[in-house]
Amino acid sequence: MDEGRAIYEDEVLLAWDKPAGILVHGDGSGARTLTDVVAEHLVDAGRADVRPQPVQRLDVETTGLVLFSLDRATQPALDAQVAGHDMRKQYLAVVSGRFPWGEKNLHQPIGRDRHDARRMRACRPGQGKPAETRVRRLAEKDGRTLLLVELRTGRRHQIRVHLASLGFPIVGDALYGGARSKRGLLLHAWREELDHPMTGERLRLETAWPARLWPEPVALP
């Protein structure tokens, strides 16, 4: 089973390319998690004393970048960047049809769906929690559109809900009405920018091109 790989690692920080189908951390079910995978990687690297702590999470079927703190002393600096939205996180998503906007900013608040505990929903102004998503059309092929999506807030299912609210649910997203897909949910956390919690250096981390979403790399801004 593919369990992903480290794409950046130093004394205090690790970035992992998460595959689909695995939880980031435990939900009480006893299922193997990405945190377990990273901990085993650290043991193999001779760092058995390090306890990795995820500072972000991705949905089970979403792939791509997940950051882990490897040092308690610097973890608050990472947590502060997440909470203050100082990290820049960009995703790639595929939707059915032609996305009609070259660029679009989405500002609908997001709240829980009272009729289905698994779902979130786009709310009217004054309801839910503020949410902001920026979307750019990158390419079209075979009746689908590849989008570059940037999160400005971090609500649960934010990208999935905002795109579905426009009538463009992500391919493979059965929960929000997306088209069926043999390749799973076509959503990938592709690029992240952050300040290193120890040195202050601005890091730009990227995964390899996710060919399961889009077979050929596309020029990206």
Side-chain angles (χ1 to χ4, degrees):
M1 176 183 176
D2 176 26
E3 294 188 320
R5 65 186 182 92
I7 61 172
Y8 178 88
E9 183 176 359
D10 62 23
E11 292 183 359
V12 301
L13 178 67
L14 180 145
W16 197 269
D17 189 358
K18 173 190 172 300
I22 188 169
L23 292 161
V24 172
H25 49 69
D27 63 353
S29 67
R32 182 170 171 80
T33 68
L34 192 67
T35 303
D36 296 330
V37 173
V38 171
E40 291 176 6
H41 165 81
L42 293 169
V43 169
D44 291 343
R47 305 179 68 185
D49 58 324
V50 176
R51 297 291 181 266
Q53 294 294 325
V55 296
Q56 302 163 316
R57 67 175 65 192
L58 294 179
D59 296 335
V60 172
E61 296 305 321
T62 303
T63 57
L65 276 168
V66 179
L67 294 181
F68 287 83
S69 170
L70 306 182
D71 174 65
R72 289 187 177 182
T74 56
Q75 183 171 340
L78 285 174
D79 291 337
Q81 288 189 69
V82 173
H85 314 304
D86 294 324
M87 292 182 179
R88 186 180 185 192
K89 191 159 190 177
Q90 295 178 313
Y91 291 70
L92 298 170
V94 178
V95 298
S96 298
R98 182 183 186 278
F99 193 77
W101 302 277
E103 295 186 9
K104 191 167 183 64
N105 290 341
L106 305 174
H107 298 277
Q108 280 184 288
I110 290 177
R112 293 192 175 276
D113 188 324
R114 293 173 294 177
H115 305 291
D116 188 338
R118 301 172 303 162
R119 291 168 50 100
M120 306 298 285
R121 64 184 181 91
C123 302
R124 296 176 180 176
Q127 299 178 343
K129 294 182 178 180
E132 181 181 355
T133 308
R134 297 178 181 176
V135 184
R136 176 180 295 185
R137 186 178 65 225
L138 294 178
E140 298 174 32
K141 185 176 182 180
D142 298 332
R144 292 180 173 180
T145 304
L146 175 68
L147 304 174
L148 178 67
V149 185
E150 181 171 344
L151 285 178
R152 303 300 296 167
T153 53
R155 307 304 175 202
R156 182 176 181 234
H157 295 179
Q158 180 173 321
I159 295 174
R160 299 164 66 183
V161 171
H162 269 169
L163 288 176
S165 74
L166 290 177
F168 288 91
I170 298 170
V171 172
D173 191 355
L175 188 61
Y176 293 101
R180 292 184 179 181
S181 169
K182 294 181 180 179
R183 292 173 287 154
L185 177 68
L186 300 191
L187 178 63
H188 180 82
W190 173 71
R191 176 194 282 170
E192 189 145 6
E193 294 183 17
L194 68 151
D195 296 330
H196 191 280
M198 180 176 286
T199 67
E201 175 190 2
R202 190 68 173 174
L203 299 178
R204 188 180 194 182
L205 308 175
E206 294 180 4
T207 70
W209 180 258
R212 76 179 187 91
L213 267 71
W214 207 260
E216 297 178 359
V218 173
L220 297 169

mmCIF file of all heavy atoms in Angstrom, residues 138-175:
data_model
loop_
_atom_site.group_PDB
_atom_site.id
_atom_site.type_symbol
_atom_site.label_atom_id
_atom_site.label_comp_id
_atom_site.label_asym_id
_atom_site.label_seq_id
_atom_site.Cartn_x
_atom_site.Cartn_y
_atom_site.Cartn_z
ATOM 1 N N LEU A 138 -7.163 26.768 -14.696
ATOM 2 C CA LEU A 138 -5.852 26.491 -15.275
ATOM 3 C C LEU A 138 -5.915 25.832 -16.644
ATOM 4 O O LEU A 138 -5.129 26.152 -17.529
ATOM 5 C CB LEU A 138 -5.038 25.584 -14.336
ATOM 6 C CG LEU A 138 -4.616 26.153 -12.988
ATOM 7 C CD1 LEU A 138 -3.874 25.088 -12.200
ATOM 8 C CD2 LEU A 138 -3.747 27.392 -13.162
ATOM 9 N N ALA A 139 -6.816 24.859 -16.804
ATOM 10 C CA ALA A 139 -6.841 24.093 -18.053
ATOM 11 C C ALA A 139 -8.177 23.388 -18.199
ATOM 12 O O ALA A 139 -8.880 23.137 -17.210
ATOM 13 C CB ALA A 139 -5.704 23.059 -18.071
ATOM 14 N N GLU A 140 -8.522 23.053 -19.450
ATOM 15 C CA GLU A 140 -9.735 22.292 -19.747
ATOM 16 C C GLU A 140 -9.382 21.143 -20.671
ATOM 17 O O GLU A 140 -8.560 21.284 -21.581
ATOM 18 C CB GLU A 140 -10.770 23.186 -20.429
ATOM 19 C CG GLU A 140 -11.246 24.359 -19.587
ATOM 20 C CD GLU A 140 -12.147 25.289 -20.370
ATOM 21 O OE1 GLU A 140 -12.863 24.797 -21.262
ATOM 22 O OE2 GLU A 140 -12.114 26.496 -20.110
ATOM 23 N N LYS A 141 -10.015 19.990 -20.445
ATOM 24 C CA LYS A 141 -9.741 18.826 -21.287
ATOM 25 C C LYS A 141 -10.806 17.775 -21.039
ATOM 26 O O LYS A 141 -11.177 17.505 -19.886
ATOM 27 C CB LYS A 141 -8.347 18.245 -20.969
ATOM 28 C CG LYS A 141 -7.925 17.109 -21.875
ATOM 29 C CD LYS A 141 -6.502 16.672 -21.555
ATOM 30 C CE LYS A 141 -6.049 15.561 -22.490
ATOM 31 N NZ LYS A 141 -4.647 15.136 -22.187
ATOM 32 N N ASP A 142 -11.309 17.183 -22.121
ATOM 33 C CA ASP A 142 -12.244 16.056 -22.031
ATOM 34 C C ASP A 142 -13.427 16.342 -21.114
ATOM 35 O O ASP A 142 -13.859 15.490 -20.327
ATOM 36 C CB ASP A 142 -11.508 14.800 -21.551
ATOM 37 C CG ASP A 142 -10.405 14.356 -22.510
ATOM 38 O OD1 ASP A 142 -10.520 14.634 -23.711
ATOM 39 O OD2 ASP A 142 -9.422 13.754 -22.034
ATOM 40 N N GLY A 143 -13.953 17.555 -21.203
ATOM 41 C CA GLY A 143 -15.146 17.892 -20.439
ATOM 42 C C GLY A 143 -14.906 18.177 -18.969
ATOM 43 O O GLY A 143 -15.863 18.206 -18.187
ATOM 44 N N ARG A 144 -13.647 18.406 -18.586
ATOM 45 C CA ARG A 144 -13.335 18.718 -17.201
ATOM 46 C C ARG A 144 -12.435 19.952 -17.129
ATOM 47 O O ARG A 144 -11.753 20.290 -18.103
ATOM 48 C CB ARG A 144 -12.651 17.534 -16.506
ATOM 49 C CG ARG A 144 -13.582 16.337 -16.318
ATOM 50 C CD ARG A 144 -12.892 15.180 -15.622
ATOM 51 N NE ARG A 144 -13.844 14.108 -15.312
ATOM 52 C CZ ARG A 144 -13.520 12.979 -14.714
ATOM 53 N NH1 ARG A 144 -12.258 12.750 -14.348
ATOM 54 N NH2 ARG A 144 -14.435 12.061 -14.464
ATOM 55 N N THR A 145 -12.419 20.594 -15.961
ATOM 56 C CA THR A 145 -11.597 21.784 -15.757
ATOM 57 C C THR A 145 -10.683 21.581 -14.554
ATOM 58 O O THR A 145 -11.125 21.125 -13.493
ATOM 59 C CB THR A 145 -12.476 23.028 -15.505
ATOM 60 O OG1 THR A 145 -13.391 23.196 -16.582
ATOM 61 C CG2 THR A 145 -11.606 24.283 -15.390
ATOM 62 N N LEU A 146 -9.416 21.931 -14.739
ATOM 63 C CA LEU A 146 -8.438 21.898 -13.655
ATOM 64 C C LEU A 146 -8.376 23.282 -13.022
ATOM 65 O O LEU A 146 -8.214 24.288 -13.719
ATOM 66 C CB LEU A 146 -7.054 21.510 -14.191
ATOM 67 C CG LEU A 146 -5.895 21.551 -13.193
ATOM 68 C CD1 LEU A 146 -6.065 20.464 -12.128
ATOM 69 C CD2 LEU A 146 -4.553 21.398 -13.919
ATOM 70 N N LEU A 147 -8.494 23.332 -11.697
ATOM 71 C CA LEU A 147 -8.509 24.585 -10.960
ATOM 72 C C LEU A 147 -7.349 24.654 -9.972
ATOM 73 O O LEU A 147 -6.962 23.647 -9.373
ATOM 74 C CB LEU A 147 -9.815 24.723 -10.169
ATOM 75 C CG LEU A 147 -11.120 24.633 -10.949
ATOM 76 C CD1 LEU A 147 -12.302 24.641 -9.971
ATOM 77 C CD2 LEU A 147 -11.238 25.779 -11.943
ATOM 78 N N LEU A 148 -6.814 25.852 -9.803
ATOM 79 C CA LEU A 148 -5.885 26.144 -8.718
ATOM 80 C C LEU A 148 -6.684 26.862 -7.641
ATOM 81 O O LEU A 148 -7.328 27.880 -7.902
ATOM 82 C CB LEU A 148 -4.744 27.040 -9.207
ATOM 83 C CG LEU A 148 -3.717 27.455 -8.147
ATOM 84 C CD1 LEU A 148 -2.923 26.245 -7.664
ATOM 85 C CD2 LEU A 148 -2.771 28.517 -8.716
ATOM 86 N N VAL A 149 -6.680 26.323 -6.434
ATOM 87 C CA VAL A 149 -7.524 26.839 -5.356
ATOM 88 C C VAL A 149 -6.641 27.215 -4.173
ATOM 89 O O VAL A 149 -5.816 26.411 -3.724
ATOM 90 C CB VAL A 149 -8.560 25.790 -4.915
ATOM 91 C CG1 VAL A 149 -9.503 26.378 -3.890
ATOM 92 C CG2 VAL A 149 -9.338 25.252 -6.112
ATOM 93 N N GLU A 150 -6.834 28.427 -3.667
ATOM 94 C CA GLU A 150 -6.059 28.878 -2.518
ATOM 95 C C GLU A 150 -6.993 29.151 -1.341
ATOM 96 O O GLU A 150 -7.984 29.878 -1.469
ATOM 97 C CB GLU A 150 -5.281 30.146 -2.852
ATOM 98 C CG GLU A 150 -4.429 30.640 -1.694
ATOM 99 C CD GLU A 150 -3.486 31.755 -2.078
ATOM 100 O OE1 GLU A 150 -3.265 31.964 -3.295
ATOM 101 O OE2 GLU A 150 -2.958 32.419 -1.166
ATOM 102 N N LEU A 151 -6.661 28.560 -0.209
ATOM 103 C CA LEU A 151 -7.437 28.777 1.008
ATOM 104 C C LEU A 151 -6.943 30.018 1.730
ATOM 105 O O LEU A 151 -5.747 30.167 1.975
ATOM 106 C CB LEU A 151 -7.297 27.578 1.947
ATOM 107 C CG LEU A 151 -8.046 26.297 1.593
ATOM 108 C CD1 LEU A 151 -7.738 25.229 2.629
ATOM 109 C CD2 LEU A 151 -9.537 26.554 1.526
ATOM 110 N N ARG A 152 -7.882 30.887 2.087
ATOM 111 C CA ARG A 152 -7.556 32.032 2.939
ATOM 112 C C ARG A 152 -8.066 31.819 4.362
ATOM 113 O O ARG A 152 -7.708 32.535 5.273
ATOM 114 C CB ARG A 152 -8.161 33.306 2.349
ATOM 115 C CG ARG A 152 -7.715 33.602 0.924
ATOM 116 C CD ARG A 152 -6.217 33.765 0.845
ATOM 117 N NE ARG A 152 -5.761 34.925 1.610
ATOM 118 C CZ ARG A 152 -4.488 35.163 1.910
ATOM 119 N NH1 ARG A 152 -3.551 34.306 1.555
ATOM 120 N NH2 ARG A 152 -4.159 36.244 2.589
ATOM 121 N N THR A 153 -8.935 30.845 4.534
ATOM 122 C CA THR A 153 -9.384 30.388 5.849
ATOM 123 C C THR A 153 -9.349 28.862 5.816
ATOM 124 O O THR A 153 -9.135 28.271 4.758
ATOM 125 C CB THR A 153 -10.810 30.871 6.172
ATOM 126 O OG1 THR A 153 -11.681 30.486 5.099
ATOM 127 C CG2 THR A 153 -10.864 32.379 6.348
ATOM 128 N N GLY A 154 -9.590 28.223 6.953
ATOM 129 C CA GLY A 154 -9.445 26.770 7.003
ATOM 130 C C GLY A 154 -10.648 26.053 7.580
ATOM 131 O O GLY A 154 -10.513 25.298 8.547
ATOM 132 N N ARG A 155 -11.806 26.280 6.993
ATOM 133 C CA ARG A 155 -13.014 25.606 7.476
ATOM 134 C C ARG A 155 -13.065 24.157 6.978
ATOM 135 O O ARG A 155 -12.522 23.829 5.922
ATOM 136 C CB ARG A 155 -14.268 26.348 7.020
ATOM 137 C CG ARG A 155 -14.283 27.825 7.355
ATOM 138 C CD ARG A 155 -14.101 28.089 8.829
ATOM 139 N NE ARG A 155 -14.010 29.513 9.114
ATOM 140 C CZ ARG A 155 -13.448 30.016 10.197
ATOM 141 N NH1 ARG A 155 -12.911 29.216 11.106
ATOM 142 N NH2 ARG A 155 -13.406 31.325 10.372
ATOM 143 N N ARG A 156 -13.769 23.330 7.718
ATOM 144 C CA ARG A 156 -13.935 21.924 7.327
ATOM 145 C C ARG A 156 -14.623 21.837 5.964
ATOM 146 O O ARG A 156 -15.634 22.493 5.723
ATOM 147 C CB ARG A 156 -14.753 21.200 8.388
ATOM 148 C CG ARG A 156 -14.955 19.718 8.116
ATOM 149 C CD ARG A 156 -15.686 19.061 9.260
ATOM 150 N NE ARG A 156 -15.850 17.639 9.019
ATOM 151 C CZ ARG A 156 -17.017 17.002 9.061
ATOM 152 N NH1 ARG A 156 -18.123 17.667 9.357
ATOM 153 N NH2 ARG A 156 -17.080 15.719 8.835
ATOM 154 N N HIS A 157 -14.047 21.043 5.060
ATOM 155 C CA HIS A 157 -14.594 20.808 3.722
ATOM 156 C C HIS A 157 -14.724 22.105 2.905
ATOM 157 O O HIS A 157 -15.524 22.178 1.976
ATOM 158 C CB HIS A 157 -15.971 20.126 3.779
ATOM 159 C CG HIS A 157 -15.962 18.756 4.350
ATOM 160 N ND1 HIS A 157 -17.113 18.006 4.502
ATOM 161 C CD2 HIS A 157 -14.955 17.981 4.819
ATOM 162 C CE1 HIS A 157 -16.813 16.839 5.036
ATOM 163 N NE2 HIS A 157 -15.508 16.807 5.242
ATOM 164 N N GLN A 158 -13.927 23.122 3.229
ATOM 165 C CA GLN A 158 -14.152 24.445 2.642
ATOM 166 C C GLN A 158 -14.135 24.449 1.119
ATOM 167 O O GLN A 158 -15.058 24.979 0.476
ATOM 168 C CB GLN A 158 -13.106 25.436 3.161
ATOM 169 C CG GLN A 158 -13.280 26.850 2.590
ATOM 170 C CD GLN A 158 -12.351 27.845 3.237
ATOM 171 O OE1 GLN A 158 -12.122 27.800 4.440
ATOM 172 N NE2 GLN A 158 -11.798 28.752 2.449
ATOM 173 N N ILE A 159 -13.110 23.877 0.515
ATOM 174 C CA ILE A 159 -13.022 23.880 -0.954
ATOM 175 C C ILE A 159 -14.183 23.092 -1.542
ATOM 176 O O ILE A 159 -14.828 23.535 -2.508
ATOM 177 C CB ILE A 159 -11.673 23.293 -1.414
ATOM 178 C CG1 ILE A 159 -10.523 24.194 -0.953
ATOM 179 C CG2 ILE A 159 -11.656 23.127 -2.928
ATOM 180 C CD1 ILE A 159 -9.148 23.613 -1.233
ATOM 181 N N ARG A 160 -14.475 21.954 -0.979
ATOM 182 C CA ARG A 160 -15.538 21.099 -1.496
ATOM 183 C C ARG A 160 -16.883 21.809 -1.434
ATOM 184 O O ARG A 160 -17.670 21.773 -2.399
ATOM 185 C CB ARG A 160 -15.567 19.790 -0.704
ATOM 186 C CG ARG A 160 -14.271 18.996 -0.824
ATOM 187 C CD ARG A 160 -14.139 17.909 0.235
ATOM 188 N NE ARG A 160 -15.152 16.871 0.064
ATOM 189 C CZ ARG A 160 -15.286 15.840 0.889
ATOM 190 N NH1 ARG A 160 -14.501 15.724 1.963
ATOM 191 N NH2 ARG A 160 -16.220 14.934 0.664
ATOM 192 N N VAL A 161 -17.149 22.487 -0.314
ATOM 193 C CA VAL A 161 -18.430 23.177 -0.140
ATOM 194 C C VAL A 161 -18.531 24.390 -1.062
ATOM 195 O O VAL A 161 -19.557 24.607 -1.727
ATOM 196 C CB VAL A 161 -18.610 23.605 1.328
ATOM 197 C CG1 VAL A 161 -19.816 24.516 1.486
ATOM 198 C CG2 VAL A 161 -18.769 22.381 2.219
ATOM 199 N N HIS A 162 -17.482 25.196 -1.130
ATOM 200 C CA HIS A 162 -17.542 26.397 -1.958
ATOM 201 C C HIS A 162 -17.711 26.063 -3.439
ATOM 202 O O HIS A 162 -18.511 26.698 -4.143
ATOM 203 C CB HIS A 162 -16.296 27.244 -1.731
ATOM 204 C CG HIS A 162 -16.451 28.257 -0.636
ATOM 205 N ND1 HIS A 162 -15.397 28.964 -0.122
ATOM 206 C CD2 HIS A 162 -17.559 28.680 0.047
ATOM 207 C CE1 HIS A 162 -15.837 29.791 0.822
ATOM 208 N NE2 HIS A 162 -17.131 29.625 0.939
ATOM 209 N N LEU A 163 -16.978 25.074 -3.931
ATOM 210 C CA LEU A 163 -17.130 24.718 -5.338
ATOM 211 C C LEU A 163 -18.507 24.109 -5.605
ATOM 212 O O LEU A 163 -19.137 24.407 -6.628
ATOM 213 C CB LEU A 163 -16.017 23.767 -5.768
ATOM 214 C CG LEU A 163 -14.624 24.406 -5.886
ATOM 215 C CD1 LEU A 163 -13.575 23.355 -6.212
ATOM 216 C CD2 LEU A 163 -14.608 25.505 -6.946
ATOM 217 N N ALA A 164 -18.995 23.280 -4.693
ATOM 218 C CA ALA A 164 -20.333 22.705 -4.870
ATOM 219 C C ALA A 164 -21.398 23.793 -4.861
ATOM 220 O O ALA A 164 -22.400 23.702 -5.581
ATOM 221 C CB ALA A 164 -20.610 21.671 -3.785
ATOM 222 N N SER A 165 -21.190 24.847 -4.058
ATOM 223 C CA SER A 165 -22.181 25.930 -3.989
ATOM 224 C C SER A 165 -22.296 26.684 -5.308
ATOM 225 O O SER A 165 -23.317 27.320 -5.584
ATOM 226 C CB SER A 165 -21.823 26.906 -2.864
ATOM 227 O OG SER A 165 -20.723 27.732 -3.209
ATOM 228 N N LEU A 166 -21.257 26.606 -6.150
ATOM 229 C CA LEU A 166 -21.286 27.235 -7.475
ATOM 230 C C LEU A 166 -21.898 26.313 -8.533
ATOM 231 O O LEU A 166 -22.059 26.714 -9.686
ATOM 232 C CB LEU A 166 -19.867 27.598 -7.917
ATOM 233 C CG LEU A 166 -19.161 28.734 -7.182
ATOM 234 C CD1 LEU A 166 -17.741 28.879 -7.730
ATOM 235 C CD2 LEU A 166 -19.919 30.040 -7.336
ATOM 236 N N GLY A 167 -22.177 25.076 -8.141
ATOM 237 C CA GLY A 167 -22.658 24.099 -9.112
ATOM 238 C C GLY A 167 -21.535 23.318 -9.760
ATOM 239 O O GLY A 167 -21.742 22.661 -10.786
ATOM 240 N N PHE A 168 -20.325 23.359 -9.152
ATOM 241 C CA PHE A 168 -19.166 22.647 -9.684
ATOM 242 C C PHE A 168 -18.508 21.804 -8.592
ATOM 243 O O PHE A 168 -17.368 22.058 -8.189
ATOM 244 C CB PHE A 168 -18.147 23.633 -10.264
ATOM 245 C CG PHE A 168 -18.584 24.257 -11.557
ATOM 246 C CD1 PHE A 168 -19.288 25.440 -11.551
ATOM 247 C CD2 PHE A 168 -18.317 23.640 -12.768
ATOM 248 C CE1 PHE A 168 -19.714 26.026 -12.734
ATOM 249 C CE2 PHE A 168 -18.734 24.209 -13.961
ATOM 250 C CZ PHE A 168 -19.436 25.398 -13.947
ATOM 251 N N PRO A 169 -19.212 20.779 -8.079
ATOM 252 C CA PRO A 169 -18.581 19.910 -7.084
ATOM 253 C C PRO A 169 -17.374 19.191 -7.685
ATOM 254 O O PRO A 169 -17.300 18.958 -8.894
ATOM 255 C CB PRO A 169 -19.699 18.924 -6.722
ATOM 256 C CG PRO A 169 -20.617 18.924 -7.904
ATOM 257 C CD PRO A 169 -20.569 20.333 -8.442
ATOM 258 N N ILE A 170 -16.422 18.868 -6.838
ATOM 259 C CA ILE A 170 -15.201 18.216 -7.293
ATOM 260 C C ILE A 170 -15.501 16.800 -7.780
ATOM 261 O O ILE A 170 -16.300 16.073 -7.182
ATOM 262 C CB ILE A 170 -14.167 18.185 -6.152
ATOM 263 C CG1 ILE A 170 -13.793 19.621 -5.753
ATOM 264 C CG2 ILE A 170 -12.922 17.400 -6.552
ATOM 265 C CD1 ILE A 170 -12.970 19.698 -4.487
ATOM 266 N N VAL A 171 -14.872 16.408 -8.865
ATOM 267 C CA VAL A 171 -15.029 15.050 -9.391
ATOM 268 C C VAL A 171 -14.624 14.041 -8.309
ATOM 269 O O VAL A 171 -13.590 14.179 -7.657
ATOM 270 C CB VAL A 171 -14.170 14.855 -10.655
ATOM 271 C CG1 VAL A 171 -14.185 13.384 -11.095
ATOM 272 C CG2 VAL A 171 -14.668 15.753 -11.781
ATOM 273 N N GLY A 172 -15.466 13.046 -8.097
ATOM 274 C CA GLY A 172 -15.214 12.026 -7.090
ATOM 275 C C GLY A 172 -15.737 12.358 -5.710
ATOM 276 O O GLY A 172 -15.597 11.552 -4.791
ATOM 277 N N ASP A 173 -16.368 13.527 -5.572
ATOM 278 C CA ASP A 173 -16.874 13.947 -4.262
ATOM 279 C C ASP A 173 -18.355 13.583 -4.141
ATOM 280 O O ASP A 173 -19.239 14.418 -4.323
ATOM 281 C CB ASP A 173 -16.674 15.450 -4.072
ATOM 282 C CG ASP A 173 -16.920 15.897 -2.641
ATOM 283 O OD1 ASP A 173 -17.342 15.053 -1.813
ATOM 284 O OD2 ASP A 173 -16.692 17.082 -2.336
ATOM 285 N N ALA A 174 -18.618 12.331 -3.803
ATOM 286 C CA ALA A 174 -19.999 11.854 -3.724
ATOM 287 C C ALA A 174 -20.792 12.583 -2.648
ATOM 288 O O ALA A 174 -22.005 12.769 -2.788
ATOM 289 C CB ALA A 174 -19.998 10.346 -3.445
ATOM 290 N N LEU A 175 -20.128 13.041 -1.587
ATOM 291 C CA LEU A 175 -20.826 13.704 -0.486
ATOM 292 C C LEU A 175 -21.477 15.013 -0.925
ATOM 293 O O LEU A 175 -22.529 15.395 -0.423
ATOM 294 C CB LEU A 175 -19.854 13.962 0.664
ATOM 295 C CG LEU A 175 -20.448 14.481 1.975
ATOM 296 C CD1 LEU A 175 -21.446 13.482 2.557
ATOM 297 C CD2 LEU A 175 -19.334 14.770 2.980
#
